[in-house]
Amino acid sequence: MFNYTDERFADLQLLRYRLNGFEQLTLRQKQYIYALSEATLYGRDITFDQFGKYNLRIRKMLEAVYTDPSVSHETDDFRALEVYLKRVWFSNGIYHHYGCEKFLPAFSEDYLRETLKRLPIDSLSLREHETLDDFCNEVFPVIFHPEVLPKRVNKNDGDDLVKTSACNFYQDVTQQEAEDFYQQQKDAYSGEEPPSFGLNATLVKRDGQLQEDVWHIGGKYSNAIEKIVYWLEQAKEYVENDKQEEIIDHLIDYYRTGDLQCFNTYCKEWVSEHEGRIDFVNGFIEVYGDPLCLKGSWEGIVEYKDLEATKRTQTISQNAQWFEDHSPVDPRFRKKQVKGVTANAICAAMLGGDEYPSTAIGINLPNADWIRVQYGSKSITISNITDAYNKAAHGNGFKEEFVIDADTLQLIEQYGDICDDLHTDLHECLGHGSGQLLPGVDPDALKSYGNVIEEARADLFGLYYIADAKLVELGLTPNEEAYKSQYYTYIMNGLLTQLIRIQPGNQIEEAHMRNRAIIAHWCYENSNVIALVKRDGKTFVQINDYKELRRLFATLLAEIQRIKSEGDYEAARQLVERYAVKVDPVIHTEILERYKRLNLAPYKGFINPKMTPIRNEQGEITDIAVDYSEGYAEQMLRYSSEYGTLV
């Protein structure tokens, strides 16, 4: 039997995902996946560097300590160092992958300094003329001092978000300078296909002048990008159709030039390819890691269609126009003609960069609004990832602890998995692809609140429609009661259980958590539909009227769509700051104590399968073997050794 669960440490648990149906793929398809997977793994160092300028140096130093045979493993300090290193691997740096706060080590500065003195000096990747003391004096405050670079992404209203964020997208630049720099670029552009300004460059100030260090071959991250391009070239030999080869060529042109118009061309061509079973995402994509929501973190995923589960997603995409036409938003904000909306359930074959080890369960791309309107979008639900989550959660006691009563629990047990997957489909396929901006509205008008508003918009679209009779008619939900399982778990999560991911005294930071908090708290505070009740000293969510809750979702969706369509920054700011940031300390303490008794890890991530080409005596590849037995530390050290490209 396949074992989905693996190692656990800190607040994290590692899972495994299975490549269902991989054995039935043709050799050519397997070779295509293998080459794309290599291109995915070579982006790892880029993500580490983007998430903090010291991350790579810290990781390499810790790995040197961890692997040196002279270092004793039998001390408390070493065991604490091991946990810290595993957290660094998991988060692609020293900041929590979800909350963005810096996590601090449980070993001492003296221990690390004395241990480093005993290591061979060439194992520490010191710079030319740099001494060990120089290295320690530079890096140790970043590791050990909580006040030094404390947050990767700061979203606190009123702060200079650039200067107070430790992400490595800006150098000696203020928030106002960055915003003015990119606004000037937008103002100077007169074409009809605007690039995503700033997406693939570090903004730096040199000699008092702002300039971009563009991420491309010959520029920043060149060593890593060269390897990515090499394996993309190899992948071209195994494409399933000519269109896939054309798409890869456009991506390679973009990597070689750094030209964002090349990226536009790649996105337009990528979104139009539907015939192949295999697809991939590779590049500087999501902007959640930038406080200004401009710069793309590097990520990669290789995928192949789950043919059975895709029947569900294709039913949704084939009816996209109906859903758009019947949306409860102002008709001015609806698309008159929905173009190119496609959705597939897929199996992930390899995860990389910002998608590894912690990954999304659904993706909708491209992100540029004008491409969505004119050319459409692709949505995926990652079926083998959601399956791994469901298997790992079965019988862990979480729902029994936090669901209000036996009848509601039975409803969730019966319909929860179905409706969870369906809400993800609706969110990715229809939610992100729905609606339109009014003419002249800047897609970045909502600034740092843009990601939260967009995620809330997509979630609300899914919540509104999951209760619609149309879904029963289409065979997507089994009856008109099933949606209640999603409504209950969503509100329970937004009001209560997502607080397990927040440290005492902290506010809500992450965009998806803020989006859920907006929806749940807005509905709670603006009606009597939802109640928080006490039973045996414990707080539970009680939903008094599910149909009325759907009406509230419709009202909030209409307002959030208006905010996005009109670019109403102030309304976005007020909505987020009022409903999405603050945490009730009494409720928070209670939820943390109840969760602690369950002995569960609040965060999950994944170990990738290991792919190995099998060759015959002539050296020809006859198969791609998939191995699920590689351990977490073993995989991370192998990746650092085999795919390390940056110093």
Side-chain angles (χ1 to χ4, degrees), residues 340-606:
V341 173
T342 61
N344 294 299
I346 61 96
C347 285
M350 192 62 66
L351 307 171
D354 197 18
E355 290 292 337
Y356 169 82
S358 177
T359 185
I361 59 173
I363 296 171
N364 178 275
L365 293 172
N367 284 326
D369 281 290
W370 68 268
I371 296 180
R372 292 175 183 272
V373 172
Q374 297 180 33
Y375 296 91
S377 62
K378 280 184 182 178
S379 300
I380 60 171
T381 301
I382 312 178
S383 61
N384 59 339
I385 295 295
T386 56
D387 185 54
Y389 277 130
N390 292 340
K391 294 288 197 307
H394 182 71
N396 65 9
F398 179 84
K399 290 192 288 285
E400 289 80 359
E401 174 62 33
F402 290 104
V403 174
I404 189 168
D405 54 39
D407 289 343
T408 308
L409 182 60
Q410 183 179 3
L411 186 77
I412 294 168
E413 291 287 355
Q414 188 170 1
Y415 301 120
D417 289 352
I418 295 171
C419 288
D420 281 348
D421 288 345
L422 185 56
H423 183 256
T424 301
D425 295 338
L426 292 166
H427 171 111
E428 299 295 348
C429 175
L430 301 181
H432 283 307
S434 68
Q436 63 181 358
L437 301 180
L438 292 182
V441 172
D442 184 349
D444 299 320
L446 303 183
K447 300 181 181 179
S448 61
Y449 299 107
N451 282 335
V452 180
I453 293 299
E454 175 58 21
E455 292 302 327
R457 191 179 71 90
D459 259 4
L460 283 164
F461 199 98
L463 289 167
Y464 176 75
Y465 274 117
I466 201 170
D468 201 286
K470 183 72 171 179
L471 271 64
V472 181
E473 175 191 324
L474 294 173
L476 296 171
T477 49
N479 56 53
E480 294 186 356
E481 295 293 306
Y483 79 91
K484 295 178 181 179
S485 67
Q486 183 67 20
Y487 277 24
Y488 188 88
T489 54
Y490 191 95
I491 296 298
M492 180 181 76
N493 189 22
L495 289 180
L496 300 179
T497 55
Q498 73 170 0
L499 296 178
I500 64 173
R501 296 182 165 193
I502 303 292
Q503 293 295 316
N506 288 355
Q507 296 182 334
I508 301 174
E509 297 280 352
E510 200 274 335
H512 297 81
M513 292 182 69
R514 283 187 167 190
N515 122 60
R516 292 188 288 267
I518 287 175
I519 295 170
H521 284 278
W522 187 92
C523 292
Y524 173 66
E525 293 183 22
N526 287 280
S527 75
N528 296 317
V529 171
I530 302 165
L532 292 178
V533 300
K534 288 280 190 179
R535 294 188 177 177
D536 299 325
K538 297 178 179 180
T539 305
F540 294 92
V541 164
Q542 178 176 291
I543 298 178
N544 299 317
D545 188 333
Y546 282 91
K547 290 183 179 180
E548 180 64 13
L549 181 55
R550 187 189 187 215
R551 190 194 65 77
L552 289 169
F553 289 151
T555 302
L556 184 56
L557 173 58
E559 171 60 7
I560 283 184
Q561 182 64 64
R562 183 200 67 76
I563 289 171
K564 181 177 174 70
S565 294
E566 295 181 350
D568 190 342
Y569 170 83
E570 185 56 31
R573 188 186 72 82
Q574 291 182 15
L575 196 63
V576 172
E577 295 299 332
R578 176 173 177 179
Y579 295 106
V581 177
K582 296 179 177 60
V583 175
D584 182 318
V586 176
I587 291 285
H588 191 196
T589 298
E590 177 199 327
I591 297 302
L592 289 176
E593 289 175 352
R594 290 166 65 184
Y595 187 77
K596 184 178 181 180
R597 290 195 289 269
L598 296 174
N599 193 31
L600 301 175
Y603 300 99
K604 308 287 193 297
F606 290 89

Side-chain angles (χ1 to χ4, degrees), residues 124-174:
L124 299 178
S125 301
L126 300 182
R127 301 187 184 112
E128 187 176 4
H129 305 306
E130 182 181 35
T131 67
L132 178 59
D133 282 342
D134 293 335
F135 172 83
C136 293
N137 291 338
E138 178 182 17
V139 172
F140 276 28
V142 180
I143 296 174
F144 292 101
H145 298 180
E147 74 280 2
V148 176
L149 303 176
K151 295 175 72 172
R152 176 165 66 89
V153 182
N154 179 31
K155 293 281 191 176
N156 288 339
D157 188 33
D159 289 352
D160 184 313
L161 302 184
V162 169
K163 293 182 73 68
T164 57
S165 295
C167 56
N168 195 20
F169 294 127
Y170 305 92
Q171 182 178 314
D172 301 322
V173 176
T174 68

Side-chain angles (χ1 to χ4, degrees), residues 284-336:
F284 308 106
I285 307 297
E286 301 291 0
V287 297
Y288 299 103
D290 173 14
L292 303 187
C293 303
L294 296 173
K295 302 191 173 297
S297 301
W298 194 94
E299 68 177 58
I301 181 170
V302 186
E303 66 195 59
Y304 57 98
K305 290 178 185 174
D306 180 335
L307 298 180
E308 183 60 33
T310 289
K311 295 176 183 177
R312 179 189 73 237
T313 56
Q314 289 182 345
T315 297
I316 294 172
S317 60
Q318 288 162 4
N319 288 274
Q321 190 67 59
W322 185 93
F323 288 103
E324 184 77 2
D325 292 343
H326 292 80
S327 170
V329 307
D330 189 313
R332 294 180 302 147
F333 309 143
R334 299 182 196 148
K335 290 178 179 173
K336 302 299 183 291

